[in-house]
Amino acid sequence: MTSFVRILLVLSTAVSLVNAFAPMSLIPTVSTTTSSTTSSSSSSSSSDIQTKGTMFSYNKPSTQRHRVALRLKDENMTEEERAIALEKATKAMTAFSNTYIKNTGTKYCSDLSIPAVVIKGLAEHKVTLGAPLCPCRFYEDKEKEAKDGFWNCPCVPMRERHECHCMLFLTEDNDFVGDKTSITYEEVIEKSGGMM
């Protein structure tokens, strides 16, 4: 792969991360369709997603028990409480990412600012939505997507096929894979530009 193509891929990922925090009115819709193509026992809890000509199914988590928990969790927090919650969530998402890397045999990107920004975005969503919704995708309704669970980290494509759109968990065959299998909380803060 040429240097030019690699640079374009890194820039594309960086733009995706920046745009993930753009105002919702500027973000195009990502749509999924619900159908009952599996067995009759899962007709109301199964969704099929068409991606690159391949159909993927997953079981939706029950939204009934999540309704209260997934309201904007930080809406009644003071700035100090939110900062404490964000620090705690960032430490938790850093620990989760390090454990998941070990369990899946994947590695971080050679540019540690990529996983640092992704981990920071996951922590932000954990505080605001109550779930680590992928920060690298566009959503018309983040709360609905967090309840749905498909794009909550680790997302279904990562769990099923080891495909991480965010470049957080990379397989050996990825051109951007580094040699690190852990990142510290301090590195996440430093390489992501500090706390939000």
Side-chain angles (χ1 to χ4, degrees), residues 7-162:
I7 290 169
L8 286 177
L9 286 172
V10 170
L11 288 175
S12 172
T13 300
V15 168
S16 294
L17 291 171
V18 170
N19 287 338
F21 297 102
M24 290 285 96
S25 61
L26 300 177
I27 297 175
T29 304
V30 174
S31 61
T32 59
T33 57
T34 304
S35 65
S36 55
T37 58
T38 56
S39 66
S40 60
S41 65
S42 64
S43 62
S44 65
S45 64
S46 173
S47 281
D48 295 326
I49 306 293
Q50 186 75 33
T51 308
K52 295 183 183 175
T54 308
M55 188 70 72
F56 302 102
S57 295
Y58 68 98
N59 290 326
K60 288 183 177 181
S62 169
T63 57
Q64 194 70 358
R65 64 190 167 109
H66 296 294
R67 262 196 194 117
V68 175
L70 288 178
R71 284 193 204 135
L72 290 179
K73 295 183 73 172
D74 67 340
E75 64 189 353
N76 295 324
M77 289 183 182
T78 65
E79 283 189 39
E80 183 180 343
E81 290 170 330
R82 188 176 190 289
I84 292 168
L86 192 53
E87 179 182 345
K88 182 179 175 183
T90 304
K91 287 179 178 178
M93 292 312 305
T94 301
F96 158 77
S97 298
N98 288 334
T99 301
Y100 196 77
I101 286 264
K102 287 178 180 76
N103 291 342
T104 58
T106 54
K107 294 182 179 181
Y108 288 119
C109 182
S110 56
D111 178 359
L112 280 181
S113 66
I114 301 289
V117 170
V118 174
I119 290 169
K120 186 174 169 182
L122 291 169
E124 175 71 25
H125 283 162
K126 189 115 172 93
V127 171
T128 59
L129 302 169
L133 183 66
C134 173
C136 304
R137 295 200 160 271
F138 301 113
Y139 308 103
E140 186 174 314
D141 184 346
K142 286 184 179 185
E143 287 184 73
K144 180 181 176 291
E145 292 292 341
K147 287 177 188 177
D148 185 43
F150 187 88
W151 294 114
N152 290 346
C153 188
C155 65
V156 172
M158 181 60 204
R159 290 190 307 251
E160 290 182 356
R161 300 179 308 282
H162 285 213

